């Protein structure tokens, strides 16, 4: 739950609809690919870890492919986690700065201090439960907003789906990026 809550951060909830409104449901491919990737990794690593010889997937990689591979995977994991957390912290600090007028640097320090106090006081259990509640709240808001928006549409869900189909907004799957597609290059 904590992992799911972290992925559904404010950046996802702000950027996802903005990206989707410029096209169709192709943005959802990321989440489907993430789920399938996790299932594939679980199918590959869990049986290897269940025999008890390795405590982590990095130990398994080290034993199977050499110490360089295990260390590289661990460093890449840590680097991407730190970069992702830093980006989420920066986004929250900028948003709080815009709302209050206090500088983003001060907000980053304040948010770090609050997180350290929260984790120090409540421990891992508090972090897990906060993730569970955050995910539940995000999903409840998504459902409530969907119901509200559909109730505000004159023809409810049928009219909304018809309009989306006419505007070619219901496409979910896109294969390889269209290198000749100008929209692909505008995003970068």
């Amino acid at each position: 739950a904590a992992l799911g809550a972290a992925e559904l951060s404010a950046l996802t909830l702000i950027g996802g609809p903005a990206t989707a409104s410029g096209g169709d449901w192709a943005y959802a491919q990321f989440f489907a690919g993430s789920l399938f990737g996790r299932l594939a990794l679980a199918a590959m690593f869990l049986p290897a870890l269940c025999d008890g010889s390795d405590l982590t997937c990095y130990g398994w990689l080290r034993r199977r492919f050499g110490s360089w591979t295990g260390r590289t995977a661990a460093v890449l994991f840590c680097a991407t986690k730190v970069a992702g957390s830093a980006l989420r912290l920066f986004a929250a600090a900028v948003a709080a700065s815009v709302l209050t007028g206090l500088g983003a640097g001060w907000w980053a320090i304040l948010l770090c201090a609050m997180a350290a106090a929260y984790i120090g006081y409540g421990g891992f259990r508090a972090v897990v439960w906060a993730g569970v509640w955050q995910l539940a709240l995000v999903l409840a808001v998504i459902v409530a907003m969907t119901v509200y928006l559909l109730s505000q549409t004159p023809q409810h869900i049928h009219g909304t789906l018809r309009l989306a189909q006419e505007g070619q907004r219901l496409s979910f799957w896109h294969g390889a990026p269209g290198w000749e597609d100008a929209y692909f290059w505008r995003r970068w």
Side-chain angles (χ1 to χ4, degrees):
L3 186 62
E7 284 185 355
L8 290 176
S9 68
L11 295 176
T12 305
L13 295 177
I14 292 169
T19 302
S21 69
D24 51 23
W25 284 90
Y27 184 71
Q29 284 180 191
F30 169 76
F31 297 104
S34 177
L35 173 66
F36 291 130
R38 287 186 186 158
L39 291 174
L41 287 173
M44 183 173 73
F45 282 117
L46 284 179
L49 295 175
C50 286
D51 69 2
S53 61
D54 294 308
L55 294 177
T56 67
C57 59
Y58 309 110
W60 181 82
L61 287 169
R62 195 174 302 121
R63 184 172 46 87
R64 173 107 169 138
F65 299 107
S67 62
W68 188 86
T69 303
R71 278 194 229 115
T72 302
V75 166
L76 287 175
F77 174 79
C78 289
T80 57
K81 287 298 173 188
V82 167
S85 295
L87 181 65
R88 285 187 288 276
L89 173 66
F90 178 70
V94 167
S97 173
V98 167
L99 290 174
T100 64
L102 185 64
W106 288 110
W107 270 109
I109 292 169
L110 180 64
L111 290 171
C112 283
M114 289 170 43
Y118 177 77
I119 293 168
Y121 177 73
F124 185 69
R125 181 176 292 175
V127 172
V128 170
W129 277 109
V132 169
W133 284 110
Q134 180 186 0
L135 182 61
L137 178 65
V138 165
L139 293 176
V141 168
I142 289 171
V143 168
M145 288 303 298
T146 302
V147 168
Y148 172 75
L149 290 174
L150 287 175
S151 73
Q152 298 301 308
T153 313
Q155 299 167 345
H156 298 297
I157 194 159
H158 300 294
T160 303
L161 289 175
R162 183 181 50 76
L163 287 172
Q165 182 66 35
E166 289 172 3
Q168 298 177 340
R169 302 286 184 144
L170 296 180
S171 176
F172 176 80
W173 176 254
H174 288 263
W179 300 107
E180 69 284 346
D181 183 12
Y183 179 71
F184 175 80
W185 295 107
R186 280 195 314 245
R187 290 186 292 184
W188 303 103

